[in-house]
């Protein structure tokens, strides 16, 4: 990726407080998004003026939710948000950018090479096809799919005790209530809505956190109950 494929989007003053020593590297990523990202249709040109506040800083604050040394999978990574930001801010994390579309994976690989992020890898594929290949501590997703559908893709990738962090908007609570049954049907889990980054970003980032409470999913147990004549029950715990 050449410098000619970069735009220039100066960071706002508050970005220095949020990113600290990582700011120069985040600024390079911002320029790639504003240049090649727009040229290749990964982000819209109207997003460039609000790239820092609405996208980069909004994603950055979720790093405080992720335990040290976690294996993170960013599902439907697109232009790399929030996965690339997490990789920049947290060298202790092992981040996989999972994306099915070729043109996006090409861009992501060029970004990782340009930014020299050894803890970040790009993998082309769909989450639903990776159930037997990936086990993550944390799955992240931003603007990928409604929560019920996202849960069907993400929860099978998680270890027991792992969690999905879905960046959502103002309707997060109602979306979660509608999706609770579907989420519990995928894996026994608990879920809540949290606001992250108060005092750092305005508004605070809204995240639906879904934590898996059992190592195995329902499918095997359901088949066993049907074969023995038992009834099919949901084991998901709600709160």
């Amino acid at each position: 990726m050449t410098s000619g494929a970069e735009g220039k989007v100066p960071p706002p003053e508050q970005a220095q407080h949020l990113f600290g020593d990582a700011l120069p590297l985040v600024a390079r990523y911002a320029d790639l998004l504003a240049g090649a990202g727009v040229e290749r249709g990964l982000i819209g040109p109207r997003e460039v003026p609000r790239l820092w506040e609405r996208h980069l800083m909004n994603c950055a604050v979720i790093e405080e939710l992720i335990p040290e040394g976690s294996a993170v999978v960013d599902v439907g990574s697109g232009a790399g948000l929030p996965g690339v930001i997490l990789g920049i801010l947290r060298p202790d994390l092992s981040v996989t950018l999972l994306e099915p579309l070729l043109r996006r994976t090409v861009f992501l690989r060029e970004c990782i090479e340009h930014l020299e992020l050894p803890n970040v890898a790009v993998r082309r594929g769909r989450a639903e096809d990776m159930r037997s290949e990936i086990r993550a501590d944390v799955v992240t997703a931003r603007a990928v799919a409604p929560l019920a559908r996202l849960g069907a893709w993400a929860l099978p990738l998680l270890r027991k005790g792992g969690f999905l962090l879905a960046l959502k908007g103002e309707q997060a609570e109602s979306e979660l209530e509608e999706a609770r049954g579907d989420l519990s049907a995928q894996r026994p889990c608990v879920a809540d809505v949290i606001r992250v980054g108060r005092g750092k970003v305005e508004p605070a980032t809204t995240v639906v956190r879904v934590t898996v409470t059992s190592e195995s999913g329902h499918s095997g147990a359901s088949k066993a109950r049907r074969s023995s004549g038992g009834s099919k029950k949901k084991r998901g715990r709600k709160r």
Side-chain angles (χ1 to χ4, degrees):
M1 186 177 294
T2 64
S3 59
E6 299 177 27
K8 293 297 178 183
V9 189
E13 183 178 349
Q14 59 268 36
Q16 178 64 63
H17 301 290
L18 180 59
F19 292 110
D21 293 342
L23 182 59
L25 199 56
V26 177
R28 286 169 60 188
Y29 176 49
D31 292 341
L32 293 172
L33 289 174
V38 172
E39 292 170 9
R40 303 186 196 183
L42 275 72
I43 67 168
R46 293 183 179 179
E47 297 303 310
V48 173
R50 52 188 182 180
L51 189 58
W52 283 93
E53 291 85 351
R54 182 169 180 171
H55 299 283
L56 302 174
M57 298 173 66
N58 177 266
C59 288
V61 293
I62 72 166
E63 66 88 13
E64 63 190 64
L65 301 174
I66 302 177
E68 185 175 356
S70 294
V72 179
V73 176
D74 189 29
V75 168
S77 193
L81 296 166
V84 171
I85 290 295
L86 294 175
I88 292 173
L89 291 178
R90 295 282 301 276
D92 61 290
L93 302 178
S94 174
V95 181
T96 298
L97 310 178
L98 183 59
E99 169 57 48
L101 294 184
L102 177 60
R103 65 183 176 88
R104 293 176 179 172
T105 59
V106 169
F107 173 80
L108 291 172
R109 289 192 175 100
E110 291 175 354
C111 281
I112 299 313
E113 181 179 357
H114 184 78
L115 299 173
E116 299 180 342
L117 298 176
N119 61 322
V120 182
V122 179
R123 187 162 183 177
R124 186 184 177 194
R126 302 184 304 172
E128 56 266 43
D129 297 330
M130 299 292 175
R131 298 184 178 197
S132 62
E133 300 182 34
I134 291 178
R135 278 294 174 269
D137 301 306
V138 180
V139 171
T140 58
R142 183 175 188 262
V144 172
L147 192 56
R149 194 188 317 162
L150 177 60
W153 297 341
L155 297 188
L157 306 180
L158 288 164
R159 299 184 177 98
K160 178 183 178 182
F163 50 87
L164 164 66
L165 298 177
L167 281 72
K168 291 290 182 177
E170 297 178 354
Q171 304 303 314
E173 283 87 355
S174 59
E175 186 176 352
L176 174 56
E177 289 309 310
E178 292 177 5
R180 282 190 187 275
D182 293 306
L183 294 172
S184 294
Q186 288 296 324
R187 297 280 297 273
C189 61
V190 294
D192 59 351
V193 176
I194 51 181
R195 265 77 183 184
V196 191
R198 295 186 188 276
K200 298 179 181 178
V201 293
E202 182 61 40
T205 300
T206 301
V207 179
V208 177
R209 178 174 55 189
V210 185
T211 304
V212 169
T213 58
S214 174
E215 184 61 45
S216 60
H218 291 291
S219 57
S222 299
K223 291 178 181 178
R225 284 195 293 272
R226 285 196 295 269
S227 64
S228 62
S231 60
K232 182 179 179 181
K233 297 180 180 179
K234 289 183 179 180
R235 299 185 304 174
R237 183 158 63 92
K238 298 182 179 180
R239 68 176 186 181

